[in-house]
Structures are given as C-alpha cells and as structure tokens.
Amino acid sequence: MVVTAAEERTSKRFTGGFVDEMRSVAMKLHTKDQAKDGEKETQGKPWRKWEPTIDGYLKFLVDSKLVYDTLDKILDKSDFPEYAEFRNTGLERAGNLAIDLEWFKEQGHIVPEPLSPGINYSIYIEELSKKDPQAFICHFYNTYFAHTAGGRMIGRKVAAKILNGKELEFYKWDGDLPQLLQNVREKLNRVAENWTREEKNHCLEETEKSFEFNGDILHLILA
C-alpha cells in the first residue's frame, strides 16, 4: 500500500500518527470473523468453529515462544538504535510462555520441539532485522498487537474447549494493558517520524508477509 504525502498529513492531523496507518493496512488483511473492522471474507472454517487439540495447542505455544525469544534477542542486540526503544515494554511474552509450558509438563503432557512455522519465521525476522529496520518493526508491531486483540479471543476460545477455562500466562500482562499498548504506539510513532515516506510505505508493504508467517503458526492449533 502506498500512502501519498497529502494522506500522511491528514493522518497526522486527525489520527494517531503512523501506527494508525499500520493498523489500517492490517485491518485490510483481517477477516470479518477475526476483527470487527476486518475487511476480508472468511476462507474456510471461521476460527470460532475450530476444534483445537492439546497437542496442536502445544505446538502453537512452542513455536510462538521461539518467535518471541527471537524478538527479545533482536531487540537486546539492537543492530539499529531504534530497536532499543522497544525493550522492556511490558508486552514481552517469552517468559509467560515458559511458565505455561512448564505447567503443561506438570500435567503430564510432552512439550514438543519447535516446528517449521516458528523456525522459518524466527530465521526470517532475524535476517530481516540486520538489514531492514522498517520491515522488521512491521513484524514487531503485528506480532505483539495481534496477540493482544484477536490472539486473546482465540485464547479464550481454546481455554473453554480444552483447558476447562484456565487462563494461561500467555494472556496476562503486568500492569494496565491499554496503557502498555499506548506507550508502544507512541514509541512507534516517534521512531517513524524519522522515516521518509518511502520507508514508511516499505514498512506497510511488509504487513502481508507478517500475516502469512503468524497465520502459519496460529494454524498449528489445529494440527
């Protein structure tokens, strides 16, 4: 998606800066059953009708943890100075997932090794982060923000079906989640202020790739 300079000025005047552009592009890729503002028609079975299994859910959690571990490592190393802005935001998930996977072990379940969806995504974002900060930050935004929205809805659905309603640590945050998200939005807008229009468009164009990778991991729930 290409945004003109005039549209950019309108966005800054009436909305929440570049993050609103990122959200707008993401909504075009959400199906109508995934988000109230989603624009795509649902293909296949809507997620509300999914029949998850413990084995599939564990695969999803393991691959998700690998991706969040990779994001943490990238931000800690900071190949580009703007990455440091996104350390210790309160949105981190790897530690919470470690607690959840330990709980599954205590229940007698075997925690699997990561599969290709999580491995491939982790390799992709690590390589991307070394050379393309705008594209990498697109993945950072979509991975974390999707989990706080549609990810939570799917988590509740899965918990009701196969975990007797247990809420995993994956879906809990220390502090006020809306405020944590707002803090990160402000950081994203601040970083994007230093980008050219071309760099912003490049970031937006990476959204579809982010959805593809995250969608592959999400569908492990049904494996």
Side-chain angles (χ1 to χ4, degrees):
M1 175 182 176
V2 175
V3 178
T4 67
E7 289 170 330
E8 180 181 17
R9 287 193 294 272
T10 300
S11 173
K12 284 182 176 178
R13 191 181 308 124
F14 294 112
T15 66
F18 183 64
V19 170
D20 276 9
E21 294 184 38
M22 297 173 81
R23 182 182 185 279
S24 177
V25 174
M27 283 301 109
K28 287 178 168 57
L29 296 174
H30 277 87
T31 59
K32 293 177 180 178
D33 77 301
Q34 290 175 322
K36 64 180 180 180
D37 297 327
E39 297 184 21
K40 290 182 69 175
E41 295 297 332
T42 302
Q43 301 293 320
K45 185 180 288 188
W47 68 261
R48 290 179 177 82
K49 295 184 179 180
W50 286 4
E51 295 300 331
T53 65
I54 291 283
D55 286 346
Y57 196 42
L58 277 169
K59 291 173 184 175
F60 161 72
L61 294 175
V62 166
D63 277 36
S64 295
K65 183 177 183 299
L66 177 61
V67 171
Y68 284 110
D69 279 331
T70 302
L71 287 166
D72 286 347
K73 181 172 68 173
I74 291 167
L75 296 173
D76 285 342
K77 191 170 68 166
S78 290
D79 283 304
F80 292 88
E82 55 261 55
Y83 293 173
E85 288 277 350
F86 305 108
R87 294 178 193 154
N88 304 316
T89 63
L91 298 184
E92 292 78 19
R93 297 290 85 200
N96 294 58
L97 280 163
I99 294 170
D100 289 331
L101 293 172
E102 188 60 35
W103 178 81
F104 277 101
K105 285 182 184 177
E106 291 169 357
Q107 308 309 305
H109 298 289
I110 296 174
V111 174
E113 293 297 315
L115 297 172
S116 58
I119 294 170
N120 291 341
Y121 193 24
S122 294
I123 292 170
Y124 181 80
I125 57 174
E126 187 158 17
E127 289 302 311
L128 197 67
S129 72
K130 297 173 184 176
K131 60 187 179 183
D132 194 337
Q134 288 79 30
F136 168 73
I137 285 174
C138 176
H139 288 270
F140 169 87
Y141 166 79
N142 281 294
T143 300
Y144 279 102
F145 277 68
H147 178 64
T148 67
R152 285 197 294 165
M153 289 191 292
I154 293 171
R156 286 194 292 269
K157 165 83 171 174
V158 172
K161 287 218 167 203
I162 62 175
L163 298 178
N164 295 318
K166 175 181 171 59
E167 184 181 16
L168 297 182
E169 297 300 314
F170 191 25
Y171 306 99
K172 299 177 184 178
W173 287 264
D174 292 332
D176 179 56
L177 180 57
Q179 186 58 56
L180 295 175
L181 291 169
Q182 183 57 29
N183 293 344
V184 176
R185 288 189 194 98
E186 291 172 2
K187 289 174 182 288
L188 287 162
N189 282 335
R190 198 158 55 239
V191 165
E193 284 177 356
N194 297 316
W195 294 349
T196 65
R197 184 66 259 174
E198 290 73 20
E199 287 172 332
K200 290 176 181 177
N201 288 337
H202 178 61
C203 174
L204 298 176
E205 288 161 1
E206 191 71 15
T207 306
E208 188 165 2
K209 183 74 73 173
S210 171
F211 269 64
E212 290 172 2
F213 277 114
N214 279 299
D216 288 345
I217 293 173
L218 184 61
H219 279 83
L220 288 171
I221 292 175
L222 302 178

